[in-house]
Amino acid sequence: MDENKKSLEGTNQEKKSSLGTAQKVGIGGFIALIFAVIFFSGLLSDMGNWASAFDYSTLTGNFGTMTSETATFRGNGGNGAMDGFLFSITLMPAVILALGIINILDKLGALRAAQQLLTPLMRPLMGVPGVGAFICVTGLQSSDAGAMIIKEARETGMLTEKERFILAMWLFSASGIMVNYFGSGAALFDALTVPIIVPLLVIIAGKFIGANIVRIVLNIKCKGRDISGE
Amino acid sequence: MESKAEQKTNVLDWFIEGARKGWDISIKNMMPNIVMAFTIVQFINVLGIMDIIGTIFSPIMGIFGLPGEAITVLLSSWLAMGSGAGVAASLYAGGVLTMRHVTILMPAIYLMGAQLNYMSRCLGISNLPKKYWKWCLLVCILNAMIAMWIMNLIA
């Protein structure tokens, strides 16, 4: 007990914990406490209406079940945090593989080559250096790999903060579009009045429009200076 | 000098080094963000506010030559691209949407699709500071509106 108290005091001194008597408790703290009790108690879990959205176990959700032969370990029909957890595991092999390959390419100088070769093209198009082309091409297939190249390029100083914002925007709208469009979009291909390629071209044009909106706004707001990362 | 030469040639080590980074990013960056995104989606679904949003935004759909029900396509695609396409397909099968409507909606489903999911993947992994994320969300919706306007002209 004494030891407990001691360690509590210790953490309080380091200001790492909000526990402790010295700090005043506002009304917000009591409301948060009431919320916490309700949230974790499971009182609202059986309500079956909107109120159960404030219940811990409801938000935790369920794992999907493997009833169909095509289901992976993620299962079908899962939801909430549990489904998100398994979903992120399904993405991990691709992320690990992509970063392994990207590291090799980086060491071999592929990113620097793209930087040198494609800067004259990418500058007028999106206001980013040549490595951006590499990010865009990768990002059409895999948003995760594209995002990781952005991270690498930013950390090695190939991109400024502003350029990272522009490229992240390009990547974000209609992400991983090749896989998604020809995957889930196939359900609607029969219902189109235009060739399949037309909406896809509009989507890619939209990505450039979005990136350039960010570019223009940043240029107006920052007048040539870089934005701060913090 | 010798160790440097070895470093230069060992492709497998480069792979492992990168793969290890991939593991770190997945566990420390991607997974917590995705769990958060899925929890928000669950919250919105259980709360049942999608219908309310749908009623509010249905007049706006008219601007793009779409019936009010079309908003449900966009809202569900905002949570997951696949479910947006799925809702559109079922509304088309039920005769609520015509081919022209589907064509107008098609690019928008993807341009503003699966935002919560990709927010954690694109913006989280690329390490873009969180204070810029809301602008990214906004621009995506703007993108979708521009695309619907363009498709309205050519559909």
Side-chain angles (χ1 to χ4, degrees):
Chain A
M1 189 68 197
D2 264 14
E3 228 176 280
N4 261 341
K5 212 176 165 188
K6 219 174 181 179
S7 70
L8 260 184
E9 277 169 8
T11 50
N12 202 22
Q13 272 165 7
E14 288 161 32
K15 293 195 173 172
K16 274 182 182 169
S17 162
S18 60
L19 293 170
T21 48
Q23 226 166 1
K24 263 191 184 163
V25 181
I27 182 78
F30 291 106
I31 294 172
L33 177 66
I34 293 166
F35 176 79
V37 170
I38 294 171
F39 182 70
F40 286 109
S41 68
L43 275 175
L44 300 176
S45 67
D46 298 328
M47 301 287 276
N49 57 14
W50 61 270
S52 52
F54 297 96
D55 179 67
Y56 173 63
S57 61
T58 306
L59 291 185
T60 306
N62 295 295
F63 289 129
T65 50
M66 279 179 268
T67 44
S68 99
E69 278 175 26
T70 52
T72 62
F73 67 85
R74 188 187 166 195
N76 292 327
N79 54 39
M82 283 176 151
D83 193 36
F85 179 78
L86 285 189
F87 176 60
S88 66
I89 293 178
T90 64
L91 297 172
M92 279 180 64
V95 171
I96 293 171
L97 172 61
L99 218 64
I101 302 285
I102 289 165
N103 202 45
I104 295 174
L105 294 175
D106 188 23
K107 288 274 202 291
L108 292 173
L111 296 185
R112 286 190 303 278
Q115 186 83 327
Q116 221 166 50
L117 207 65
L118 295 166
T119 296
L121 176 73
M122 294 308 282
R123 277 277 171 232
L125 209 55
M126 269 159 69
V128 297
V131 72
F134 195 55
I135 292 164
C136 292
V137 170
T138 314
L140 286 175
Q141 288 286 342
S142 161
S143 57
D144 304 297
M148 277 180 291
I149 304 174
I150 292 182
K151 184 177 187 286
E152 290 286 311
R154 175 70 186 113
E155 279 167 8
T156 53
M158 286 169 129
L159 294 175
T160 65
E161 194 68 19
K162 188 164 33 176
E163 289 157 359
R164 168 163 72 181
F165 196 168
I166 294 169
L167 283 167
M169 188 62 239
W170 192 93
L171 202 63
F172 182 45
S173 192
S175 226
I177 186 60
M178 288 304 174
V179 178
N180 283 319
Y181 188 75
F182 291 103
S184 61
L188 296 171
F189 285 169
D190 284 343
L192 294 177
T193 59
V194 292
I196 294 169
I197 192 77
V198 174
L200 185 61
L201 289 177
V202 173
I203 289 170
I204 292 172
K207 284 166 91 78
F208 280 103
I209 293 170
N212 276 297
I213 292 172
V214 169
R215 173 193 184 184
I216 291 165
V217 170
L218 287 180
N219 277 343
I220 293 168
K221 263 188 92 175
C222 304
K223 297 189 181 79
R225 280 177 293 117
D226 195 20
I227 49 177
S228 76
E230 290 311 304
Chain B
M1 197 64 205
E2 204 185 311
S3 70
K4 201 181 173 188
E6 200 183 71
Q7 238 182 10
K8 237 180 180 177
T9 49
N10 201 339
V11 178
L12 294 179
D13 276 348
W14 292 346
F15 181 88
I16 296 297
E17 187 189 283
R20 194 167 285 137
K21 266 190 253 174
W23 168 269
D24 283 346
I25 292 173
S26 303
I27 294 295
K28 292 177 184 165
N29 234 328
M30 191 175 75
M31 186 179 279
N33 275 307
I34 288 182
V35 169
M36 179 190 70
F38 272 67
T39 308
I40 295 173
V41 170
Q42 177 82 335
F43 182 73
I44 292 172
N45 281 338
V46 175
L47 206 54
I49 50 177
M50 287 300 247
D51 295 341
I52 301 167
I53 300 172
T55 325
I56 296 169
F57 282 90
S58 56
I60 298 175
M61 289 292 97
I63 301 171
F64 303 104
L66 293 167
E69 288 89 341
I71 190 72
T72 56
V73 174
L74 296 180
L75 289 176
S76 42
S77 80
W78 191 74
L79 297 178
M81 289 175 181
S83 74
V87 170
S90 70
L91 287 179
Y92 173 67
V96 179
L97 297 179
T98 64
M99 279 175 84
R100 186 183 144 79
H101 296 148
V102 172
T103 310
I104 293 172
L105 282 168
M106 190 70 168
I109 289 173
Y110 293 94
L111 282 168
M112 60 177 283
Q115 302 266 276
L116 292 174
N117 187 337
Y118 281 111
M119 188 168 73
S120 40
R121 288 163 68 184
C122 290
L123 309 181
I125 293 176
S126 62
N127 234 348
L128 187 75
K130 282 210 169 58
K131 63 171 176 177
Y132 302 135
W133 289 19
K134 56 178 181 292
W135 301 113
C136 291
L137 292 170
L138 206 69
V139 170
C140 282
I141 291 167
L142 204 62
N143 269 350
M145 289 166 81
I146 294 170
M148 284 194 290
W149 180 74
I150 294 173
M151 292 310 286
N152 204 1
L153 298 178
I154 58 177

